[in-house]
Amino acid sequence: MKHFLRVVTQFFLFLYCKCLWRGLKFVVRKITGRCELQRICYNNKPGARRTLKIESSLRYSKNELCQSALSVHPDCVEKTVDNIMTLKKINPDTNPQLSISLQASLFQIVGYRGLVAEVEKLRREPYDCENLKHEEMLMKLWKALRPDSPLTGRISKQWCEIGFQGNDPKTDFRGMGLLGLHNLLYFAEHDKATALQVLQDSLQPKQSKMSKAEWEQKNFDKAIGYSFAIVGINITDLAYSLLVSGALKTHLYNVAPEMPNLIHFQQTFCYLMQEFHRFWIEEDPCDIMEFNRVRSKFHRRVLRQLKNPDMALCPHFAASDLHLVNL
């Protein structure tokens, strides 16, 4: 019986989507004199609220031209918009703002796709110690985070001071490839004060609520908050998952006037690093073994925030100035 009801429900949903919804759109157009794209552009402010609806309208359009608009080359955006307006029989002279609005949203849409491809390429590129550019980036990371401590050697226990697991950081980049290194270096160079503060905090022994006697009985030699570099690579994975799932569209469509790029993604990483650090302190976990639990809870919180189409990460340059704002 349940299976039968499920099938009937799916059938009526299909009927609604294919017939009733298209019929409703036809009636609304006759009444208002505007197509769906016009209504979206005129009734929604610029940003995610408008662009997400335009993206959905184009994706579920029965017209191949509208569907293909989502994957055109950036150089073809203007021509594509002209073709759509011709298809919809919209006079550009009497609707000049519509063309501008469609172009801006379409640039955001194709830019997001391009950003996903660029980030994926960096993620898939492994760290190569024989590549001079890779090695230079790694050395820059050390100098940015430990400016007063010269590195004694390429293979050294000193790497643990900035949160790598062993003597050679290259092994820690396997999961996120060069993307993890790019993000850590961007954070260290472009918001140095915040990065150094987070690093310093992560190296401090965690304050325990246990008495001194209980602490000594547990035989803990130290309880460090977390490893800075390893957490940075892990937060890179979190930012990557938000990007490829489409959750970051809300943020990027609100902060990038046209095409989102790698810098927008790296600024998002800076925000996530700082906010995760605050969240870690608020959660007050017993030790690093609770990292996955805290990370999952933090991930869910960010996802909830990004469900609001008017929500964005404040587009200031420094991570210390980043916070969630309601536009």
Side-chain angles (χ1 to χ4, degrees):
M1 187 62 180
K2 290 183 178 179
H3 177 71
F4 174 75
L5 291 175
R6 189 183 304 114
V7 172
V8 172
T9 302
Q10 291 175 347
F11 172 75
F12 279 107
L13 284 174
F14 174 81
L15 186 65
Y16 172 78
C17 293
K18 289 294 183 180
C19 302
L20 297 180
W21 175 239
R22 296 192 187 280
L24 180 61
K25 289 202 299 182
F26 176 79
V27 172
V28 173
R29 173 159 189 170
K30 289 299 181 182
I31 295 175
T32 63
R34 294 176 176 177
C35 70
E36 185 178 38
L37 291 176
Q38 286 176 296
R39 296 195 300 273
I40 292 173
C41 288
Y42 293 146
N43 298 333
N44 296 275
K45 62 183 179 180
R49 188 173 289 274
R50 175 189 291 173
T51 301
L52 287 170
K53 290 181 179 180
I54 289 176
E55 188 173 15
S56 177
S57 176
L58 294 174
R59 177 177 291 111
Y60 295 109
S61 173
K62 62 181 179 180
N63 187 277
E64 187 176 345
L65 171 63
C66 294
Q67 294 176 0
S68 63
L70 298 174
S71 56
V72 299
H73 190 275
D75 294 340
C76 300
V77 166
E78 186 175 353
K79 182 179 179 181
T80 300
V81 170
D82 291 340
N83 291 338
I84 290 175
M85 293 186 68
T86 300
L87 174 70
K88 299 291 184 179
K89 298 179 181 180
I90 302 172
N91 189 338
D93 295 328
T94 57
N95 296 271
Q97 187 59 41
L98 179 64
S99 176
I100 296 173
S101 299
L102 279 177
Q103 282 189 41
S105 290
L106 203 53
F107 270 123
Q108 289 183 318
I109 293 167
V110 300
Y112 193 94
R113 289 173 62 94
L115 176 59
V116 171
E118 184 178 7
V119 167
E120 182 64 30
K121 182 179 179 181
L122 286 174
R123 188 187 73 86
R124 288 179 177 273
E125 184 175 357
Y127 184 90
D128 182 5
C129 58
E130 301 297 326
N131 189 311
L132 292 180
K133 290 184 179 180
H134 295 187
E135 288 288 287
E136 287 175 4
M137 289 177 63
L138 186 60
M139 293 303 110
K140 285 181 181 179
L141 178 64
W142 174 265
K143 291 177 181 178
L145 295 175
R146 279 286 184 263
D148 300 324
S149 301
L151 193 63
T152 58
R154 170 62 181 79
I155 308 297
S156 171
K157 291 184 179 180
Q158 286 178 282
W159 291 111
C160 296
E161 295 177 18
I162 61 173
F164 286 103
Q165 290 182 325
N167 298 342
D168 190 352
K170 74 173 185 179
T171 58
D172 294 325
F173 291 121
R174 288 174 182 169
M176 285 287 107
L178 275 191
L179 185 62
L181 179 55
H182 272 272
N183 280 351
L184 284 170
L185 183 58
Y186 184 92
F187 187 31
E189 289 187 335
H190 292 87
D191 195 20
K192 192 168 186 176
T194 305
L196 290 175
Q197 185 62 56
V198 172
L199 173 62
Q200 182 180 347
D201 291 347
S202 71
L203 293 172
Q204 298 302 315
K206 188 177 182 302
Q207 298 297 321
S208 175
K209 296 179 181 179
M210 292 184 288
S211 67
K212 184 177 180 181
E214 290 174 325
W215 183 258
E216 291 176 349
Q217 187 176 4
K218 290 289 184 180
N219 198 29
F220 293 146
D221 55 346
K222 58 183 179 179
I224 295 176
Y226 55 72
S227 300
F228 176 87
I230 296 299
V231 168
I233 294 171
N234 204 289
I235 297 301
T236 293
D237 176 68
L238 189 151
Y240 168 78
S241 68
L242 291 172
L243 181 72
V244 297
S245 70
L248 270 187
K249 287 180 179 180
T250 301
H251 163 62
L252 293 177
Y253 289 168
N254 280 329
V255 301
E258 288 192 348
M259 296 181 64
N261 55 48
L262 187 60
I263 291 179
H264 291 109
F265 178 77
Q266 291 173 322
Q267 289 177 340
T268 303
F269 167 78
C270 293
Y271 162 79
L272 291 172
M273 276 293 288
Q274 181 180 349
E275 286 301 300
F276 179 79
H277 182 64
R278 292 175 180 172
F279 190 75
W280 178 268
I281 294 173
E282 291 172 3
E283 285 293 300
D284 192 26
C286 294
D287 52 42
I288 195 62
M289 298 303 293
E290 291 194 71
F291 178 82
N292 288 336
R293 177 190 66 80
V294 176
R295 180 193 184 277
S296 296
K297 189 174 180 179
F298 176 71
H299 190 184
R300 290 193 298 272
R301 189 182 75 166
V302 174
L303 285 174
R304 286 195 302 271
Q305 292 167 333
L306 290 175
K307 285 182 179 179
N308 180 356
D310 295 325
M311 193 65 73
L313 307 180
C314 192
H316 291 295
F317 195 70
S320 55
D321 295 326
L322 289 172
H323 58 282
L324 281 172
V325 294
N326 198 304
L327 297 179

